[in-house]
Amino acid sequence: IRFLAVTNNIPITLSSMEGYDVIVGQRFTSHRGLETWRRARTPFSRLVYETDDDVFSVSPENWAAFHLYGRGDVQDAVIHAAEVSDLITVTTPYLAGVMHEHTKNSSIAVLPNSIPDWVLQIQPHHRDRPCVGWQGGASHGMDVGLVAGPVRRFLKRFPDWDFQLNGTDYRPTIKHDRAQFSSWIPIAEDPAGYFSSIYFDIGLAPLVNSEFSRSKSDIKVLEYAALGIPSIASDSVVYRNFIEHGVNGFLVHEEYEWLKYMSILANDSALREKMGAAAKEAARKRTIENTWSLWKQEYEGLFRGKAE
């Protein structure tokens, strides 16, 4: 099977898609090219619409994404491109329900996010001082706000520890002189650099309970885990299936528990190591090498019954 992935960032023509068996449109959001997208299906090719976010529930606080996905014409383009596709692929069961509700397309497969096996082999960087860390994009302002107070109290309680932010500079939210920041490393351009930059001793994964967040995947704690980092995460449906509370991380129900679990892990290096090892073992089940057959099964299923 020959695959082609198309996005809004490259020109899409029928000739450029000719000869491919499976054509994957990743979060295709533009009316431009919809006719071409429909006509790309032939007796020998299939269309797959792929998304990992609920674009219908982006809130104004996520201003950059809301500027795009909050528009009715963009949502209409998403619905049309997905409803005419042979298959919709998503990363979580909840998001599968969202896409079915909006598109009425019942051909939806849940293909969970995975990480390359080689990430588990990365050796941690040496740090002069231990740190709690968080990594993420610019849509997580409210999430980081959940831990800002607990982090400040933690840093006061543990003067030998620092706090590390990767990706987006939320130091104005944290408001502490031992909060450090490193710029985002695009994973598509430098995958080794991206994963190597996550060198925390404890990883935080706060998540505000909202309609948008319920469709998100557990990729943040999965990446932490692959590097042997125990996570402290919001007790949400997003993280509950990956984190085994007290074994490979902690799930937070109440605000005071952020400080409680950070303190427990900071005070016990043996526990951090034990939980980090358990987290890595959990991540081992979610490598691309162990999950690629899920994609193979779904894509080959598109041609079931096709005449040879």
Side-chain angles (χ1 to χ4, degrees):
I1 297 178
R2 296 186 68 212
F3 303 93
L4 174 68
V6 297
T7 71
N8 295 311
N9 300 322
I10 61 173
I12 301 171
T13 64
L14 285 175
S15 60
S16 68
M17 292 186 278
E18 187 176 350
Y20 289 94
D21 302 291
V22 177
I23 301 167
V24 181
Q26 186 179 48
R27 207 151 61 184
F28 190 53
T29 60
S30 174
H31 277 96
R32 298 191 315 271
L34 280 178
E35 180 182 359
T36 303
W37 175 251
R38 293 194 304 269
R39 292 173 61 195
R41 183 195 291 108
T42 72
F44 309 102
S45 63
R46 300 292 183 269
L47 303 180
V48 177
Y49 188 92
E50 197 280 330
T51 183
D52 64 350
D53 271 325
D54 174 5
V55 300
F56 306 104
S57 300
V58 180
S59 62
E61 292 81 10
N62 186 356
W63 63 270
F66 183 75
H67 181 71
L68 174 65
Y69 297 115
R71 290 165 41 187
D73 63 317
V74 170
Q75 293 187 8
D76 180 72
V78 170
I79 291 171
H80 184 80
E83 69 184 355
V84 301
S85 298
D86 298 285
L87 177 68
I88 299 172
T89 57
V90 297
T91 48
T92 70
Y94 194 92
L95 183 54
V98 170
M99 291 302 292
H100 179 261
E101 177 185 353
H102 285 277
T103 69
K104 303 303 184 287
N105 188 335
S106 59
S107 297
I108 303 178
V110 178
L111 301 175
N113 280 324
S114 303
I115 42 103
D117 181 76
W118 57 260
V119 177
L120 281 78
Q121 313 307 319
I122 293 177
Q123 295 300 310
H125 288 260
H126 171 73
R127 295 184 69 103
D128 295 329
R129 293 164 56 87
C131 79
V132 177
W134 175 91
Q135 173 158 302
S139 65
H140 293 280
M142 294 182 67
D143 300 329
V144 173
L146 292 176
V147 298
V151 164
R152 286 193 293 270
R153 292 190 289 274
F154 171 82
L155 293 174
K156 182 178 181 180
R157 180 180 294 183
F158 292 87
D160 294 332
W161 281 66
D162 295 327
F163 184 69
Q164 176 69 38
L165 290 157
N166 283 3
T168 304
D169 191 357
Y170 285 117
R171 284 177 295 180
T173 301
I174 300 300
K175 297 177 182 176
H176 198 285
D177 58 6
R178 296 208 313 278
Q180 303 167 357
F181 168 67
S182 294
S183 298
W184 191 262
I185 298 176
I187 188 171
E189 298 175 13
D190 184 8
Y194 172 84
F195 284 106
S196 296
S197 70
I198 311 173
Y199 50 97
F200 315 142
D201 296 275
I202 302 168
L204 299 186
L207 193 64
V208 170
N209 184 20
S210 68
E211 181 60 27
F212 176 75
S213 69
R214 282 190 279 275
S215 289
K216 297 187 74 65
S217 81
D218 58 5
I219 186 65
K220 190 183 300 293
V221 297
L222 175 61
E223 291 178 346
Y224 294 165
L227 296 161
I229 303 169
S231 293
I232 304 173
S234 295
D235 183 17
S236 69
V237 65
V238 177
Y239 298 128
R240 211 171 288 144
N241 290 332
F242 184 86
I243 294 180
E244 187 176 353
H245 184 72
V247 177
N248 60 7
F250 289 112
L251 293 169
V252 171
H253 301 265
E254 305 290 342
E255 181 185 359
Y256 76 89
E257 292 179 322
W258 292 105
L259 177 57
K260 172 185 174 180
Y261 295 134
M262 281 189 285
S263 299
I264 288 173
L265 288 172
N267 273 320
D268 194 337
S269 59
L271 180 62
R272 291 199 306 274
E273 184 175 348
K274 179 181 178 181
M275 294 183 76
K280 180 170 286 194
E281 285 308 304
R284 199 177 301 279
K285 300 173 185 176
R286 291 272 299 280
T287 63
I288 293 171
E289 288 77 0
N290 281 331
T291 60
W292 68 270
S293 60
L294 298 175
W295 276 259
K296 176 177 182 291
Q297 176 182 321
E298 294 298 335
Y299 289 163
E300 287 185 340
L302 292 170
F303 298 93
R304 226 165 262 141
K306 173 183 167 182
E308 296 297 332

